[in-house]
Each structure stands twice: as structure tokens, then as C-alpha cells.
């Protein structure tokens, strides 16, 4: 079964203009054109587009996605190159995931702190401590509105 660009866009969750952009950037060399020059997408094409979206959504640069697609198009002899490229990308994604998890922990800590019944008291204590620290270091006090509940 084949799909028009609009049908492929709907099935992939991308816009037709995004598919055209990807094609212009050399990411869709596997998409055939019909006798009048329109793109005809197949289910196999949509699977590769799904992979492209996965790589893009996880931060892979367009040039590296193009490299991956070029390796796919070159056949099975490039499998070691694909493993290397995807392995390096996976390591970057895991590192980013670790950083996001750390940041999420900080956000959860703050949310729990602000939801605590004694949140106002605790925040005021924090402000008092920060103010005393500034004063002891002869620094200007950034906490100008000491009555504000931060």
C-alpha cells in the first residue's frame, strides 16, 4: 500500500512540510516518486521515518541522522557503523536521561517542600539563613522583600 505525503504525515504524526524538509535534507532517499513526481510512501518508509523521529526526538543532529540513513541505504555491510553510531547516541541519551532524573528529583524536592504544612515557616527560615550568610560575608542582601513568601 502507498500513501500520499498528507497521508504519510498523518500516519507519522509529522506535518507534510516536515516530511518535505526531511526530504530536502537528504533523510528520505528511500521514498519513491510516482510517474508525475509525487512522493509515494510505503509502510516500510513509515518505519524508517519513525526511526528518524526517534533519533531526532532524542537529540541526534540532522547530519548524523543522514549518516545513519545513508548507512541503512548502503546495506548490511554498514551494520558495524550503525552499531557504533547508535551506541554513541544511546550513551548521550542515557547521560541526558540521568541529568533529567537529577533535575526531576530537585523539582520533586521543592514541590514536596512547598506542599508541606510548614512551608511558609521553612521558607522564611531559609530566607533568614541566606540573609545572615550575605551579611556575614559583607554582601548585599538579595532578599529585599523579607516578608514575601518565596
Amino acid at each position: 500500500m502507498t500513501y500520499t505525503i498528507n497521508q504519510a504525515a498523518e500516519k507519522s504524526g509529522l506535518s507534510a512540510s516536515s516530511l518535505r524538509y526531511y526530504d530536502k535534507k537528504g533523510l528520505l532517499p528511500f521514498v519513491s516518486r510516482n510517474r508525475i513526481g509525487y512522493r509515494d510512501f510505503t509502510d516500510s518508509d513509515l518505519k524508517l521515518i519513525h526511526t528518524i523521529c526517534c533519533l531526532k526526538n532524542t537529540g541526534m543532529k540532522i547530519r548524523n541522522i543522514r549518516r545513519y540513513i545513508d548507512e541503512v541505504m548502503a546495506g548490511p555491510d554498514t551494520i558495524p557503523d550503525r552499531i557504533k553510531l547508535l551506541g554513541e547516541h544511546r550513551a548521550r541519551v542515557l547521560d541526558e536521561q540521568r541529568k533529567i532524573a537529577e533535575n526531576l528529583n530537585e523539582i520533586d524536592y521543592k514541590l514536596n517542600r512547598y506542599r508541606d504544612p510548614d512551608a511558609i515557616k521553612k521558607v522564611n527560615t531559609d530566607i533568614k539563613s541566606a540573609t545572615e550568610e550575605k551579611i556575614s560575608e559583607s554582601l548585599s542582601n538579595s532578599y529585599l522583600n523579607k516578608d514575601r513568601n518565596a
Side-chain angles (χ1 to χ4, degrees), residues 51 55 60 68 81-91:
T51 300
L55 297 174
M60 184 180 274
Y68 172 77
D81 297 327
R82 293 184 230 176
I83 290 171
K84 183 177 186 297
L85 179 66
L86 292 175
E88 290 168 353
H89 182 63
R90 184 177 192 280

Side-chain angles (χ1 to χ4, degrees), residues 125-139 141 143:
T125 300
D126 290 346
I127 291 171
K128 182 179 180 204
S129 253
T131 299
E132 289 170 358
E133 183 181 33
K134 298 281 184 183
I135 291 168
S136 74
E137 296 295 329
S138 301
L139 298 172
N141 183 7
Y143 299 93

Side-chain angles (χ1 to χ4, degrees), residues 127 130-131 134 139-148 150:
I127 291 171
T131 299
K134 298 281 184 183
L139 298 172
S140 62
N141 183 7
S142 304
Y143 299 93
L144 299 176
N145 184 356
K146 295 176 193 156
D147 295 327
R148 184 184 72 171

Side-chain angles (χ1 to χ4, degrees), residues 84-101:
K84 183 177 186 297
L85 179 66
L86 292 175
E88 290 168 353
H89 182 63
R90 184 177 192 280
R92 284 190 295 276
V93 170
L94 286 173
D95 186 52
E96 188 63 29
Q97 190 177 40
R98 181 190 53 76
K99 290 175 189 172
I100 289 170

Side-chain angles (χ1 to χ4, degrees), residues 16-55:
S17 62
S18 291
L19 288 172
R20 286 185 194 95
Y21 172 78
Y22 287 172
D23 193 23
K24 182 179 175 183
K25 291 294 183 181
L27 301 182
L28 307 180
F30 48 85
V31 175
S32 301
R33 294 199 179 244
N34 64 24
R35 58 183 169 72
I36 57 174
Y38 291 156
R39 295 168 189 88
D40 275 335
F41 294 82
T42 64
D43 289 319
S44 295
D45 296 341
L46 293 176
K47 287 178 185 176
L48 272 173
I49 289 168
H50 176 77
T51 300
I52 289 168
C53 291
C54 169
L55 297 174

